[in-house]
mmCIF file of all heavy atoms in Angstrom:
data_model
loop_
_atom_site.group_PDB
_atom_site.id
_atom_site.type_symbol
_atom_site.label_atom_id
_atom_site.label_comp_id
_atom_site.label_asym_id
_atom_site.label_seq_id
_atom_site.Cartn_x
_atom_site.Cartn_y
_atom_site.Cartn_z
ATOM 1 N N LYS M 22 -9.176 56.876 235.061
ATOM 2 C CA LYS M 22 -10.417 56.119 235.239
ATOM 3 C C LYS M 22 -10.182 54.617 235.421
ATOM 4 O O LYS M 22 -11.150 53.871 235.629
ATOM 5 C CB LYS M 22 -11.329 56.329 234.030
ATOM 6 C CG LYS M 22 -11.693 57.786 233.757
ATOM 7 C CD LYS M 22 -12.537 57.888 232.484
ATOM 8 C CE LYS M 22 -12.828 59.326 232.119
ATOM 9 N NZ LYS M 22 -13.599 59.418 230.845
ATOM 10 N N VAL M 23 -8.926 54.160 235.313
ATOM 11 C CA VAL M 23 -8.637 52.728 235.394
ATOM 12 C C VAL M 23 -9.094 52.177 236.740
ATOM 13 O O VAL M 23 -8.808 52.749 237.789
ATOM 14 C CB VAL M 23 -7.130 52.476 235.188
ATOM 15 C CG1 VAL M 23 -6.757 51.038 235.543
ATOM 16 C CG2 VAL M 23 -6.744 52.789 233.750
ATOM 17 N N ASN M 24 -9.795 51.034 236.723
ATOM 18 C CA ASN M 24 -10.344 50.483 237.967
ATOM 19 C C ASN M 24 -10.109 48.983 238.138
ATOM 20 O O ASN M 24 -10.703 48.366 239.021
ATOM 21 C CB ASN M 24 -11.846 50.797 238.069
ATOM 22 C CG ASN M 24 -12.621 50.389 236.832
ATOM 23 O OD1 ASN M 24 -12.501 49.274 236.349
ATOM 24 N ND2 ASN M 24 -13.416 51.327 236.310
ATOM 25 N N ILE M 25 -9.249 48.377 237.294
ATOM 26 C CA ILE M 25 -8.860 46.974 237.463
ATOM 27 C C ILE M 25 -7.367 46.856 237.175
ATOM 28 O O ILE M 25 -6.779 47.721 236.534
ATOM 29 C CB ILE M 25 -9.656 46.025 236.536
ATOM 30 C CG1 ILE M 25 -9.504 46.435 235.067
ATOM 31 C CG2 ILE M 25 -11.118 45.945 236.942
ATOM 32 C CD1 ILE M 25 -10.103 45.439 234.078
ATOM 33 N N PRO M 26 -6.722 45.760 237.633
ATOM 34 C CA PRO M 26 -5.282 45.592 237.401
ATOM 35 C C PRO M 26 -4.955 45.323 235.931
ATOM 36 O O PRO M 26 -5.777 44.812 235.171
ATOM 37 C CB PRO M 26 -4.920 44.375 238.266
ATOM 38 C CG PRO M 26 -6.042 44.199 239.219
ATOM 39 C CD PRO M 26 -7.259 44.727 238.536
ATOM 40 N N LEU M 27 -3.685 45.616 235.577
ATOM 41 C CA LEU M 27 -3.216 45.489 234.198
ATOM 42 C C LEU M 27 -1.889 44.757 234.146
ATOM 43 O O LEU M 27 -0.996 45.008 234.965
ATOM 44 C CB LEU M 27 -3.029 46.886 233.585
ATOM 45 C CG LEU M 27 -2.216 46.975 232.278
ATOM 46 C CD1 LEU M 27 -2.974 46.330 231.118
ATOM 47 C CD2 LEU M 27 -1.855 48.423 231.955
ATOM 48 N N LEU M 28 -1.755 43.875 233.157
ATOM 49 C CA LEU M 28 -0.463 43.360 232.712
ATOM 50 C C LEU M 28 -0.278 43.826 231.281
ATOM 51 O O LEU M 28 -1.100 43.533 230.418
ATOM 52 C CB LEU M 28 -0.423 41.832 232.786
ATOM 53 C CG LEU M 28 0.808 41.164 232.137
ATOM 54 C CD1 LEU M 28 2.092 41.560 232.855
ATOM 55 C CD2 LEU M 28 0.651 39.636 232.117
ATOM 56 N N MET M 29 0.807 44.567 231.024
ATOM 57 C CA MET M 29 1.078 45.090 229.684
ATOM 58 C C MET M 29 2.399 44.522 229.191
ATOM 59 O O MET M 29 3.409 44.551 229.906
ATOM 60 C CB MET M 29 1.114 46.616 229.705
ATOM 61 C CG MET M 29 1.126 47.269 228.331
ATOM 62 S SD MET M 29 0.914 49.084 228.459
ATOM 63 C CE MET M 29 0.877 49.543 226.733
ATOM 64 N N ILE M 30 2.402 43.986 227.966
ATOM 65 C CA ILE M 30 3.563 43.302 227.400
ATOM 66 C C ILE M 30 3.815 43.858 225.996
ATOM 67 O O ILE M 30 2.878 44.013 225.211
ATOM 68 C CB ILE M 30 3.332 41.782 227.334
ATOM 69 C CG1 ILE M 30 3.024 41.228 228.728
ATOM 70 C CG2 ILE M 30 4.530 41.069 226.727
ATOM 71 C CD1 ILE M 30 2.631 39.767 228.741
ATOM 72 N N HIS M 31 5.092 44.133 225.677
ATOM 73 C CA HIS M 31 5.393 44.744 224.381
ATOM 74 C C HIS M 31 6.795 44.357 223.946
ATOM 75 O O HIS M 31 7.728 44.296 224.760
ATOM 76 C CB HIS M 31 5.310 46.275 224.490
ATOM 77 C CG HIS M 31 4.809 46.949 223.259
ATOM 78 N ND1 HIS M 31 3.584 47.576 223.192
ATOM 79 C CD2 HIS M 31 5.367 47.099 222.031
ATOM 80 C CE1 HIS M 31 3.410 48.085 221.980
ATOM 81 N NE2 HIS M 31 4.486 47.811 221.267
ATOM 82 N N GLY M 32 6.968 44.081 222.660
ATOM 83 C CA GLY M 32 8.295 43.870 222.093
ATOM 84 C C GLY M 32 9.000 45.190 221.863
ATOM 85 O O GLY M 32 8.376 46.180 221.464
ATOM 86 N N ASP M 33 10.314 45.214 222.084
ATOM 87 C CA ASP M 33 11.026 46.493 221.989
ATOM 88 C C ASP M 33 11.483 46.822 220.568
ATOM 89 O O ASP M 33 12.080 47.875 220.344
ATOM 90 C CB ASP M 33 12.206 46.540 222.963
ATOM 91 C CG ASP M 33 13.294 45.520 222.658
ATOM 92 O OD1 ASP M 33 13.081 44.646 221.798
ATOM 93 O OD2 ASP M 33 14.368 45.582 223.296
ATOM 94 N N VAL M 34 11.208 45.925 219.587
ATOM 95 C CA VAL M 34 11.488 46.261 218.190
ATOM 96 C C VAL M 34 10.214 46.088 217.355
ATOM 97 O O VAL M 34 10.255 45.654 216.198
ATOM 98 C CB VAL M 34 12.662 45.432 217.611
ATOM 99 C CG1 VAL M 34 13.963 45.833 218.272
ATOM 100 C CG2 VAL M 34 12.421 43.925 217.745
ATOM 101 N N ASP M 35 9.092 46.443 217.930
ATOM 102 C CA ASP M 35 7.792 46.357 217.255
ATOM 103 C C ASP M 35 7.706 47.460 216.206
ATOM 104 O O ASP M 35 7.780 48.637 216.519
ATOM 105 C CB ASP M 35 6.678 46.513 218.292
ATOM 106 C CG ASP M 35 5.302 46.183 217.743
ATOM 107 O OD1 ASP M 35 5.036 46.498 216.574
ATOM 108 O OD2 ASP M 35 4.489 45.630 218.505
ATOM 109 N N ARG M 36 7.559 47.056 214.940
ATOM 110 C CA ARG M 36 7.523 48.050 213.860
ATOM 111 C C ARG M 36 6.122 48.548 213.573
ATOM 112 O O ARG M 36 5.938 49.593 212.969
ATOM 113 C CB ARG M 36 8.135 47.468 212.587
ATOM 114 C CG ARG M 36 7.360 46.305 211.998
ATOM 115 C CD ARG M 36 8.150 45.617 210.898
ATOM 116 N NE ARG M 36 8.218 44.206 211.117
ATOM 117 C CZ ARG M 36 7.929 43.288 210.185
ATOM 118 N NH1 ARG M 36 7.560 43.667 208.980
ATOM 119 N NH2 ARG M 36 8.021 42.025 210.441
ATOM 120 N N ARG M 37 5.098 47.783 213.924
ATOM 121 C CA ARG M 37 3.714 48.176 213.649
ATOM 122 C C ARG M 37 3.168 49.075 214.758
ATOM 123 O O ARG M 37 2.552 50.113 214.510
ATOM 124 C CB ARG M 37 2.856 46.922 213.477
ATOM 125 C CG ARG M 37 1.355 47.123 213.283
ATOM 126 C CD ARG M 37 0.995 47.971 212.076
ATOM 127 N NE ARG M 37 1.611 47.538 210.852
ATOM 128 C CZ ARG M 37 1.139 46.584 210.045
ATOM 129 N NH1 ARG M 37 0.034 45.943 210.362
ATOM 130 N NH2 ARG M 37 1.763 46.286 208.926
ATOM 131 N N VAL M 38 3.339 48.667 216.011
ATOM 132 C CA VAL M 38 2.930 49.468 217.174
ATOM 133 C C VAL M 38 4.193 49.668 217.995
ATOM 134 O O VAL M 38 4.585 48.815 218.776
ATOM 135 C CB VAL M 38 1.840 48.761 217.999
ATOM 136 C CG1 VAL M 38 1.413 49.633 219.176
ATOM 137 C CG2 VAL M 38 0.636 48.413 217.133
ATOM 138 N N MET M 39 4.824 50.805 217.833
ATOM 139 C CA MET M 39 6.178 50.981 218.333
ATOM 140 C C MET M 39 6.232 50.967 219.863
ATOM 141 O O MET M 39 5.244 51.197 220.566
ATOM 142 C CB MET M 39 6.781 52.255 217.752
ATOM 143 C CG MET M 39 7.025 52.158 216.241
ATOM 144 S SD MET M 39 7.651 53.688 215.521
ATOM 145 C CE MET M 39 9.234 53.843 216.345
ATOM 146 N N TYR M 40 7.426 50.684 220.362
ATOM 147 C CA TYR M 40 7.656 50.429 221.794
ATOM 148 C C TYR M 40 7.300 51.619 222.675
ATOM 149 O O TYR M 40 7.012 51.448 223.873
ATOM 150 C CB TYR M 40 9.119 50.029 221.967
ATOM 151 C CG TYR M 40 9.529 49.608 223.363
ATOM 152 C CD1 TYR M 40 8.842 48.617 224.051
ATOM 153 C CD2 TYR M 40 10.641 50.185 223.981
ATOM 154 C CE1 TYR M 40 9.242 48.218 225.322
ATOM 155 C CE2 TYR M 40 11.054 49.794 225.240
ATOM 156 C CZ TYR M 40 10.348 48.816 225.906
ATOM 157 O OH TYR M 40 10.750 48.418 227.168
ATOM 158 N N TYR M 41 7.284 52.823 222.117
ATOM 159 C CA TYR M 41 6.957 53.987 222.947
ATOM 160 C C TYR M 41 5.573 53.865 223.569
ATOM 161 O O TYR M 41 5.288 54.496 224.602
ATOM 162 C CB TYR M 41 7.073 55.290 222.149
ATOM 163 C CG TYR M 41 6.046 55.494 221.063
ATOM 164 C CD1 TYR M 41 4.727 55.855 221.369
ATOM 165 C CD2 TYR M 41 6.379 55.370 219.714
ATOM 166 C CE1 TYR M 41 3.779 56.064 220.366
ATOM 167 C CE2 TYR M 41 5.442 55.562 218.715
ATOM 168 C CZ TYR M 41 4.148 55.906 219.046
ATOM 169 O OH TYR M 41 3.208 56.110 218.065
ATOM 170 N N HIS M 42 4.691 53.071 222.958
ATOM 171 C CA HIS M 42 3.351 52.918 223.516
ATOM 172 C C HIS M 42 3.410 52.357 224.935
ATOM 173 O O HIS M 42 2.712 52.841 225.833
ATOM 174 C CB HIS M 42 2.510 51.997 222.625
ATOM 175 C CG HIS M 42 2.045 52.647 221.371
ATOM 176 N ND1 HIS M 42 0.914 53.432 221.301
ATOM 177 C CD2 HIS M 42 2.583 52.643 220.116
ATOM 178 C CE1 HIS M 42 0.762 53.877 220.065
ATOM 179 N NE2 HIS M 42 1.758 53.423 219.323
ATOM 180 N N LEU M 43 4.252 51.350 225.169
ATOM 181 C CA LEU M 43 4.379 50.816 226.523
ATOM 182 C C LEU M 43 5.038 51.828 227.450
ATOM 183 O O LEU M 43 4.548 52.062 228.569
ATOM 184 C CB LEU M 43 5.181 49.513 226.510
ATOM 185 C CG LEU M 43 5.349 48.860 227.898
ATOM 186 C CD1 LEU M 43 5.185 47.348 227.819
ATOM 187 C CD2 LEU M 43 6.730 49.185 228.505
ATOM 188 N N LYS M 44 6.130 52.433 227.029
ATOM 189 C CA LYS M 44 6.871 53.333 227.918
ATOM 190 C C LYS M 44 6.044 54.570 228.277
ATOM 191 O O LYS M 44 6.009 54.988 229.441
ATOM 192 C CB LYS M 44 8.190 53.740 227.267
ATOM 193 C CG LYS M 44 9.109 52.574 226.915
ATOM 194 C CD LYS M 44 9.407 51.678 228.111
ATOM 195 C CE LYS M 44 10.244 52.356 229.166
ATOM 196 N NZ LYS M 44 10.558 51.432 230.293
ATOM 197 N N ASP M 45 5.371 55.157 227.296
ATOM 198 C CA ASP M 45 4.560 56.348 227.575
ATOM 199 C C ASP M 45 3.376 56.010 228.475
ATOM 200 O O ASP M 45 3.042 56.759 229.404
ATOM 201 C CB ASP M 45 4.049 56.957 226.263
ATOM 202 C CG ASP M 45 5.153 57.581 225.429
ATOM 203 O OD1 ASP M 45 6.307 57.597 225.886
ATOM 204 O OD2 ASP M 45 4.861 58.031 224.297
ATOM 205 N N TYR M 46 2.738 54.868 228.198
ATOM 206 C CA TYR M 46 1.576 54.486 228.997
ATOM 207 C C TYR M 46 1.997 54.129 230.422
ATOM 208 O O TYR M 46 1.315 54.497 231.395
ATOM 209 C CB TYR M 46 0.849 53.304 228.359
ATOM 210 C CG TYR M 46 -0.497 53.026 228.980
ATOM 211 C CD1 TYR M 46 -1.620 53.758 228.610
ATOM 212 C CD2 TYR M 46 -0.649 52.037 229.943
ATOM 213 C CE1 TYR M 46 -2.863 53.516 229.186
ATOM 214 C CE2 TYR M 46 -1.879 51.781 230.527
ATOM 215 C CZ TYR M 46 -2.981 52.528 230.143
ATOM 216 O OH TYR M 46 -4.206 52.280 230.715
ATOM 217 N N GLN M 47 3.116 53.442 230.565
ATOM 218 C CA GLN M 47 3.604 53.093 231.899
ATOM 219 C C GLN M 47 3.861 54.346 232.731
ATOM 220 O O GLN M 47 3.506 54.410 233.916
ATOM 221 C CB GLN M 47 4.889 52.267 231.784
ATOM 222 C CG GLN M 47 5.477 51.850 233.130
ATOM 223 C CD GLN M 47 6.748 51.022 232.986
ATOM 224 O OE1 GLN M 47 7.253 50.823 231.873
ATOM 225 N NE2 GLN M 47 7.273 50.537 234.098
ATOM 226 N N LYS M 48 4.446 55.344 232.109
ATOM 227 C CA LYS M 48 4.730 56.594 232.830
ATOM 228 C C LYS M 48 3.436 57.254 233.304
ATOM 229 O O LYS M 48 3.317 57.665 234.466
ATOM 230 C CB LYS M 48 5.512 57.542 231.917
ATOM 231 C CG LYS M 48 5.896 58.861 232.567
ATOM 232 C CD LYS M 48 6.727 59.719 231.606
ATOM 233 C CE LYS M 48 7.106 61.042 232.251
ATOM 234 N NZ LYS M 48 7.901 61.901 231.316
ATOM 235 N N ALA M 49 2.445 57.350 232.411
ATOM 236 C CA ALA M 49 1.168 57.967 232.786
ATOM 237 C C ALA M 49 0.423 57.111 233.806
ATOM 238 O O ALA M 49 -0.197 57.635 234.745
ATOM 239 C CB ALA M 49 0.310 58.160 231.534
ATOM 240 N N PHE M 50 0.490 55.813 233.650
ATOM 241 C CA PHE M 50 -0.212 54.864 234.518
ATOM 242 C C PHE M 50 0.320 54.942 235.949
ATOM 243 O O PHE M 50 -0.440 55.035 236.917
ATOM 244 C CB PHE M 50 -0.018 53.457 233.945
ATOM 245 C CG PHE M 50 -0.909 52.399 234.507
ATOM 246 C CD1 PHE M 50 -2.185 52.203 234.002
ATOM 247 C CD2 PHE M 50 -0.466 51.559 235.518
ATOM 248 C CE1 PHE M 50 -3.001 51.203 234.495
ATOM 249 C CE2 PHE M 50 -1.268 50.554 236.018
ATOM 250 C CZ PHE M 50 -2.546 50.382 235.507
ATOM 251 N N GLU M 51 1.636 54.920 236.058
ATOM 252 C CA GLU M 51 2.244 54.965 237.389
ATOM 253 C C GLU M 51 2.070 56.333 238.037
ATOM 254 O O GLU M 51 1.904 56.432 239.262
ATOM 255 C CB GLU M 51 3.714 54.569 237.289
ATOM 256 C CG GLU M 51 3.900 53.096 236.921
ATOM 257 C CD GLU M 51 5.344 52.707 236.674
ATOM 258 O OE1 GLU M 51 6.192 53.633 236.551
ATOM 259 O OE2 GLU M 51 5.637 51.495 236.593
ATOM 260 N N ALA M 52 2.091 57.381 237.232
ATOM 261 C CA ALA M 52 1.854 58.718 237.780
ATOM 262 C C ALA M 52 0.448 58.845 238.357
ATOM 263 O O ALA M 52 0.217 59.606 239.301
ATOM 264 C CB ALA M 52 2.075 59.773 236.694
ATOM 265 N N ALA M 53 -0.497 58.075 237.801
ATOM 266 C CA ALA M 53 -1.879 58.089 238.299
ATOM 267 C C ALA M 53 -2.068 57.153 239.484
ATOM 268 O O ALA M 53 -3.175 57.066 240.033
ATOM 269 C CB ALA M 53 -2.832 57.708 237.172
ATOM 270 N N GLY M 54 -0.996 56.429 239.884
ATOM 271 C CA GLY M 54 -1.067 55.563 241.045
ATOM 272 C C GLY M 54 -1.845 54.284 240.827
ATOM 273 O O GLY M 54 -2.403 53.722 241.771
ATOM 274 N N LYS M 55 -1.850 53.779 239.620
ATOM 275 C CA LYS M 55 -2.625 52.580 239.309
ATOM 276 C C LYS M 55 -1.767 51.311 239.470
ATOM 277 O O LYS M 55 -0.541 51.373 239.495
ATOM 278 C CB LYS M 55 -3.182 52.659 237.889
ATOM 279 C CG LYS M 55 -4.070 53.876 237.647
ATOM 280 C CD LYS M 55 -5.279 53.888 238.584
ATOM 281 C CE LYS M 55 -6.138 55.124 238.371
ATOM 282 N NZ LYS M 55 -7.338 55.124 239.242
ATOM 283 N N THR M 56 -2.450 50.158 239.550
ATOM 284 C CA THR M 56 -1.787 48.883 239.785
ATOM 285 C C THR M 56 -1.581 48.140 238.474
ATOM 286 O O THR M 56 -2.557 47.868 237.758
ATOM 287 C CB THR M 56 -2.625 47.991 240.723
ATOM 288 O OG1 THR M 56 -2.814 48.685 241.960
ATOM 289 C CG2 THR M 56 -1.946 46.651 240.970
ATOM 290 N N GLY M 57 -0.318 47.846 238.172
ATOM 291 C CA GLY M 57 -0.050 47.133 236.933
ATOM 292 C C GLY M 57 1.374 46.634 236.856
ATOM 293 O O GLY M 57 2.242 47.027 237.648
#
């Protein structure tokens, strides 16, 4: 459903919100053909 561009930034040693959030979302985002 994404309909605007995204910039996503994440630290790779984030202990509160772990780094997998960026990697997993990037994979799903790019598979959906979105711009970010």
Side-chain angles (χ1 to χ4, degrees):
K22 302 177 184 177
V23 169
N24 52 50
I25 56 172
L27 165 69
L28 171 64
M29 191 171 183
I30 302 174
H31 214 111
D33 64 351
V34 292
D35 191 323
R36 65 191 129 130
R37 176 59 52 85
V38 181
M39 292 177 64
Y40 185 53
Y41 68 75
H42 285 276
L43 181 139
K44 302 305 292 182
D45 291 357
Y46 191 82
Q47 180 180 5
K48 181 177 180 181
F50 193 85
E51 292 174 347
K55 302 300 178 178
T56 301

